[in-house]
């Protein structure tokens, strides 16, 4: 499929798709319909005008969604905020924000988000952005329960020294 992965350092892994259009068509054929790609980032801003000036994770998720959309993928960024909104970005991807009373770090995700994924989760892939985030863990458990495939994209430094202190809390 033209996928290459290169370990640059402990904190950076480069994944390059030589032909994203071929990849999405190949996966779609396997599922016999159009595959949807969901990118989850709890704090993604649904109303931001210029995401390239934002914080690093937001910028990375915006860039990935823009690139995949430019090559014909059906991409939706899902996030949680104070109110529900659905926006089409100028770059071609959708942003679905779900109301959640708990905007602080917690182990709960929006009931509306669960319902949304339950209805749209078939023939999809979810990319969870972040590591050691309670909401990422909670959402991964929900996706596993629903048999929805997902990938975790850590974005944070992933160095062995992180696991030296309180290892029992970080590795199951």
């Amino acid at each position: 499929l033209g996928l290459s992965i290169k370990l640059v350092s402990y904190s950076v892994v480069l994944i390059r798709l030589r032909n994203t259009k071929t990849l999405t068509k190949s996966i779609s054929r396997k599922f016999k319909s159009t595959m949807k790609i969901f990118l989850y980032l709890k704090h993604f801003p649904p109303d931001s005008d210029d995401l390239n000036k934002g914080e690093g994770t937001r910028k990375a998720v915006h860039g990935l969604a823009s690139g995949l959309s430019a090559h014909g993928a059906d991409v939706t960024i899902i996030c949680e905020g104070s109110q529900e909104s659905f926006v089409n970005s100028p770059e071609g991807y959708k942003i679905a924000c779900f109301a959640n009373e708990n905007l602080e770090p917690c182990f709960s995700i929006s009931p509306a988000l669960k319902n949304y994924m339950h209805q749209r989760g078939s023939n999809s892939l979810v990319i969870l952005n972040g590591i050691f985030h309670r909401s990422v863990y909670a959402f991964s458990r929900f996706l596993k329960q629903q048999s929805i495939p997902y990938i975790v994209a850590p974005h944070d430094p992933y160095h062995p020294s992180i696991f030296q202190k309180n290892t029992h809390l970080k590795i199951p």
Side-chain angles (χ1 to χ4, degrees), residues 20-21 24 34-35 67-75:
T20 309
K21 199 174 277 189
T24 53
T34 303
M35 183 179 140
L68 290 170
S69 294
H71 286 89
D74 182 5
V75 179

Side-chain angles (χ1 to χ4, degrees), residues 117-131:
M117 288 308 298
H118 181 71
Q119 293 174 356
R120 292 167 180 80
S122 63
N123 296 335
S124 66
L125 174 68
V126 179
I127 301 173
L128 303 173
N129 294 279
I131 190 169

Side-chain angles (χ1 to χ4, degrees), residues 38 40 78 80 98 107-122 124 126 128 134-150:
F38 295 97
Y40 174 75
I78 47 181
E80 297 177 79
F98 297 92
F107 285 103
S108 69
I109 57 172
S110 167
L113 171 55
K114 288 181 180 181
N115 187 41
Y116 179 85
M117 288 308 298
H118 181 71
Q119 293 174 356
R120 292 167 180 80
S122 63
S124 66
V126 179
L128 303 173
R134 295 175 191 134
S135 60
V136 169
Y137 174 76
F139 197 32
S140 73
R141 297 305 86 202
F142 170 77
L143 295 171
K144 184 174 182 177
Q145 183 182 47
Q146 299 294 313
S147 299
I148 300 171
Y150 65 91

Side-chain angles (χ1 to χ4, degrees), residues 31-110:
F31 287 109
K32 306 283 191 265
S33 67
T34 303
M35 183 179 140
K36 297 174 278 301
I37 300 173
F38 295 97
L39 297 141
Y40 174 75
L41 182 62
K42 183 170 183 139
H43 59 277
F44 194 85
D47 56 354
S48 181
D49 293 329
D50 190 2
L51 290 164
N52 288 318
K53 293 180 183 174
E55 160 280 315
T57 310
R58 293 176 188 167
K59 194 183 300 186
V61 170
H62 165 70
L64 180 58
S66 298
L68 290 170
S69 294
H71 286 89
D74 182 5
V75 179
T76 303
I77 295 177
I78 47 181
C79 58
E80 297 177 79
S82 58
Q83 62 185 11
E84 193 167 294
S85 66
F86 297 91
V87 178
N88 289 320
S89 74
E91 290 81 7
Y93 61 85
K94 298 176 264 325
I95 304 170
C97 187
F98 297 92
N100 190 342
E101 295 174 2
N102 299 317
L103 296 179
E104 297 297 320
C106 63
F107 285 103
S108 69
I109 57 172
S110 167

Side-chain angles (χ1 to χ4, degrees), residues 144-166:
K144 184 174 182 177
Q145 183 182 47
Q146 299 294 313
S147 299
I148 300 171
Y150 65 91
I151 298 170
V152 177
H155 294 281
D156 291 329
Y158 191 74
H159 192 274
S161 64
I162 293 173
F163 296 100
Q164 289 177 347
K165 186 176 180 185
N166 295 325

